[in-house]
Structures are given as C-alpha cells and as structure tokens.
Amino acid sequence: MSYDAKPEHKFTFGLWTVGNTGRDPFGSPTRETLTPVQLVRMLAEQGVYGVNFHDNDLVPIDASPAERDRIVTDFRQALNDTGLVVPMATTNLFSDPVFKDGAFTANDPKVRAYALQKTIRAIELGVELGATVYVFWGGREGTETDSSKNPLDSAKRFRDALNFLCAYVKAQGYDLRFALEPKPNEPRSDIYLPTVGSMLGFITTLDHPEMVGLNPEVAHEHMAGLNFMHAVAQAWDAGKLFHIDLNDQLFGRYDQDFRFGSVMPKQAFYLVRFLESVGYSGSRHFDAHAYRTADYDDVKEFVRGCTRTYLILKEKAERFNQDSEIQSLLSEIQADQGDYAYLSSGYSPEAVNRLNAEAFDRAAMNRRRLPYERLDQLTIELMLGAR
Ligand code: GCO
Ligand code: MN
Ligand code: MN
C-alpha cells in the first residue's frame, strides 16, 4: 500500500504553513523566506491538490496595483504549470498593527470599515484565483480586558460585517461560501465565539445562514480541552462542515500547530475514521507548520508526514471496519431487537401509553455486557500495528 499523496486525496496547505519561517515570540526566523511560486512548486512535488492563502501571503499589504498584477500573473502561471488549485482563501486581519484591537469588532469604526474594505478586496483576489470557500478566522476579535468591549456590541459588529459580506457575495453572483473558524485564545487573551458549538449557534442569527458554515481546527478545540471529533460531528450533523484545518496540539499547551497526528494520534484516528465514514468531500487542509529546527528539506518531510499520516489512518480505519473481532464486538454492543422501534417515530399518545406500560428491570439491564475495555484494546493494537 502506498501512502503517497495524490491530488484526488484533496490535501491542501496554506502558503503560510509551508512558508512559515520559524519566527516565534521569542526568536527570529530560522529559515529564509520562499516566494509563493517556490511554495507552489514544493507542494506540487509532494502530490498536494491545492494551496490556500491570506491576501497578504500572496500580495504584500503595501503592494501597488502593478505589483499586485505581476504577482498574481506569476502565481497563476505556477498553478497552471503544476495543476494545483486554490480551493480556499482568507483575509489577514491580524498581523498589521491597525488590527491590534480587532477587525470587525474593533472599537474604532474606521478600523471596522477598513477591515470590511480589505476583506472585499481579498474576496476578489480569492475568487479571481478560483476559491469557493472563504475562511474567517477572527484572531484579534477578542479582549484582554472586558472593560474595553461589551460582548453584545462585539456580536452585533461581527454579525453586521458578515451580513454585509454575504450580501456583497450574493450581489456579485459569486460561487463562494463562508467558513468561520473558532479559536479560544491566542493571539487575544479571549477570542469571541471560541468553539465550534458557539459558532454554530451564532450562524443561526445571520441573514444568510445557508451561506455560512464552519472551518474547525484540531488545535483550537484541543486548546480548549475538547473532543475535536465530536465538534466535527456536530458541524457535520448541522450540514456546516465546509472546510477543516488539520494539525495537532496537546491539551493545555501554547498554540503548537504540529504536524497532523504527531502528538495525539488516537484522536487523529477517530477523526479520519469519521471524515471517511460520512463521506466528507471537502479539502483536507493542513494548517500546521514544521518545527523551528527544520530546514526546507525537513519542511518537505513535514508535508509528507501530514499526508502520509492521514492516509495511514485512513487505511487503519478500513481495517477497523473489516476486523471481524472488532465488528462482532460492535454488533454485540449495538444489538437492537427492535422492541422499542415504536419510539423512533416520535411522540404520539399511543407511544406514551405503551411506554407507560413497560416494566424496566434495571438490574437485568445493568447485566447487559459492554466490553469497551476489550474494544479499546483491540483498537489500540490495530493502531500500533499488532493486528
Ligand atoms: C491560527 C489559525 C490561522 C487560520 C488562518 C486562516 O491559529 O493562527 O489557525 O492559521 O486558520 O488565518 O484563516
Ligand atoms: Mn490555528
Ligand atoms: Mn487554522
């Protein structure tokens, strides 16, 4: 079995992920800066399907219109040469000092207006290059002190901005959906709408909720100590899994952005098993970066590592589904004689009468076996290659 990435696997990386130069809050870059064209070529060599970007990953914030055109022409040429596509684009609303108090939720109305203008221009750039998903990660949309902003004002400002942008996209007739990416903290002390669940609730308050879904990220739910696969399942159940950011992260640490599956492989296994079993067909986007110690050969290992681990876990999920001992345990655990099928069609006076007439023997019910220790050990042995 080959674990080499192919375009049909829909693996994507951001320019900012493989282009990360190793700078962190304590130290300077450890790798030279590569151009977007060099990064596209590197990704194509590794069998990757697509490349995503923030407006300023591609076009520097102070570029003149002529520079913008030249950069876009070169980038488009690299895409044509390699066959890579751009499935997703986004706006950098966090690096420039102007966004120190947020973008759409900043207290200064001028900053909010600039954020809207910058996003419209970035949407134009994304659409020009073929993006059909547009991500909103509100890294600076939060507070250090709650004296500074009222969370209700912030929710209204964020909602107004998204409503404005949804209406803009509709008016232009673009084939573009929005994917909101929650994160609990970093760079702000507290970021608004910190989890998948909060975002799902917020989307229902928008003017065009059908246009807006989620871009959940492994690291972000892990930072909050949550079960990422459960969050993804909730987004899927709501029809809102528009995109996904894959990486890895230990609970309770700084924002690590590790190679997919590298520190919590069991969680990664359940996630891949879920995505493959429901037939998720969107990008498998790796929003991670190589260790600060890596040179660009090692960055290529990082790219291969993300995609290989995904494909290995996909194969393990298939083995899990074919493993006769695991499957017979699951049949035993999930056995259903259909005695209570009358409850699954919902409430009716007859159903209640029938339910009231049932005699439940709790002691007998407790004797039904749930050999989850055995099941989990089999899962671990399968993952570790012992079966
Ligand atoms: C982070 C986020 C970002 C976003 C990116 C695209 O923790 O910094 O995950 O990498 O995903 O800005 O919107
Ligand atoms: Mn992140
Ligand atoms: Mn992300």
Side-chain angles (χ1 to χ4, degrees):
M1 165 104 190
S2 157
Y3 303 116
D4 291 342
K6 298 194 184 63
E8 74 220 38
H9 297 130
K10 291 213 167 166
F11 292 134
T12 65
F13 285 80
L15 285 179
W16 71 95
T17 64
V18 275
N20 178 286
T21 56
R23 188 163 58 86
D24 73 11
F26 304 94
S28 314
T30 57
R31 295 183 280 270
E32 73 272 28
T33 302
L34 298 189
T35 64
V37 168
Q38 288 174 305
L39 295 168
V40 165
R41 296 197 191 290
M42 183 208 289
L43 290 172
E45 275 168 27
Q46 305 305 327
V48 166
Y49 164 73
V51 59
N52 306 313
F53 56 80
H54 301 87
D55 49 354
N56 305 136
D57 299 340
L58 188 58
V59 181
I61 194 165
D62 290 320
S64 68
E67 281 164 345
R68 178 202 191 269
D69 289 349
R70 184 184 48 74
I71 291 167
V72 173
T73 304
D74 290 351
F75 187 67
R76 194 192 289 283
Q77 185 65 48
L79 296 175
N80 289 342
D81 292 347
T82 57
L84 249 69
V85 295
V86 173
M88 176 272 259
T90 184
T91 329
N92 185 324
L93 295 173
F94 45 89
S95 293
D96 195 90
V98 76
F99 299 123
K100 64 190 178 205
D101 186 35
F104 302 134
T105 66
N107 270 324
D108 184 344
K110 200 167 200 157
V111 172
R112 300 203 296 273
Y114 173 58
L116 215 47
Q117 185 205 60
K118 191 173 193 291
T119 304
I120 286 172
R121 291 183 182 172
I123 287 175
E124 296 294 331
L125 179 65
V127 168
E128 191 180 333
L129 288 159
T132 55
V133 175
Y134 202 83
V135 164
F136 290 80
W137 171 65
R140 300 272 177 203
E141 312 290 14
T143 59
E144 284 72 43
T145 168
D146 284 328
S147 311
S148 65
K149 289 181 197 168
N150 176 335
L152 294 177
D153 291 341
S154 299
K156 180 178 184 316
R157 290 169 181 171
F158 195 51
R159 179 181 306 115
D160 288 350
L162 286 172
N163 286 340
F164 191 99
L165 293 165
C166 281
Y168 173 76
V169 165
K170 277 183 166 300
Q172 303 302 308
Y174 293 151
D175 171 23
L176 191 69
R177 299 195 296 173
F178 291 175
L180 310 184
E181 179 178 342
K183 184 176 184 182
N185 53 272
E186 283 199 55
R188 296 312 290 265
S189 177
D190 291 289
I191 299 177
Y192 295 121
L193 301 167
T195 64
V196 167
S198 351
M199 278 302 183
L200 283 171
F202 175 73
I203 289 170
T204 65
T205 73
L206 296 174
D207 288 349
H208 299 288
E210 73 290 346
M211 266 183 74
V212 186
L214 262 289
N215 178 36
E217 173 169 317
V218 178
H220 299 177
E221 303 295 302
H222 281 196
M223 286 168 78
L226 299 174
N227 184 315
F228 183 65
M229 190 271 277
H230 291 187
V232 168
Q234 193 187 354
W236 177 264
D237 188 52
K240 293 297 187 190
L241 190 64
F242 288 8
H243 199 263
I244 193 163
D245 276 6
L246 303 172
N247 54 12
D248 212 355
Q249 166 83 37
L250 291 172
F251 288 2
R253 297 285 171 95
Y254 67 97
D255 183 10
Q256 296 179 305
D257 280 339
F258 283 148
R259 191 177 74 254
F260 179 60
S262 62
V263 289
M264 296 181 72
K266 192 177 184 191
Q267 283 75 3
F269 166 73
Y270 289 125
L271 174 67
V272 170
R273 182 167 163 258
F274 178 83
L275 293 175
E276 296 299 323
S277 72
V278 296
Y280 169 72
S281 62
S283 294
R284 276 80 172 155
H285 172 67
F286 296 102
D287 186 9
H289 49 70
Y291 303 141
R292 190 162 181 267
T293 44
D295 60 11
Y296 279 107
D297 280 338
D298 215 24
V299 172
K300 291 180 191 169
E301 293 297 332
F302 152 84
V303 171
R304 274 195 288 278
C306 286
T307 59
R308 283 177 63 83
T309 297
Y310 189 99
L311 293 174
I312 292 166
L313 293 174
K314 181 176 166 187
E315 190 203 10
K316 295 282 180 193
E318 283 157 16
R319 291 171 78 108
F320 183 97
N321 294 339
Q322 287 156 9
D323 187 298
S324 53
E325 201 174 344
I326 290 176
Q327 291 309 314
S328 81
L329 268 180
L330 283 173
S331 311
E332 179 188 341
I333 288 160
Q334 293 166 0
D336 181 348
Q337 311 305 328
D339 296 348
Y340 304 98
Y342 69 90
L343 291 173
S344 50
S345 42
Y347 165 81
S348 69
E350 298 71 36
V352 173
N353 286 342
R354 215 169 140 183
L355 185 61
N356 280 335
E358 299 270 5
F360 291 105
D361 179 347
R362 297 196 314 279
M365 288 157 80
N366 181 46
R367 282 194 293 275
R368 177 160 166 176
R369 294 195 64 228
L370 294 172
Y372 294 169
E373 287 288 356
R374 176 87 191 128
L375 179 62
D376 187 71
Q377 182 61 23
L378 291 174
T379 308
I380 290 286
E381 292 193 10
L382 186 141
M383 281 188 63
L384 295 180
R387 58 185 296 114

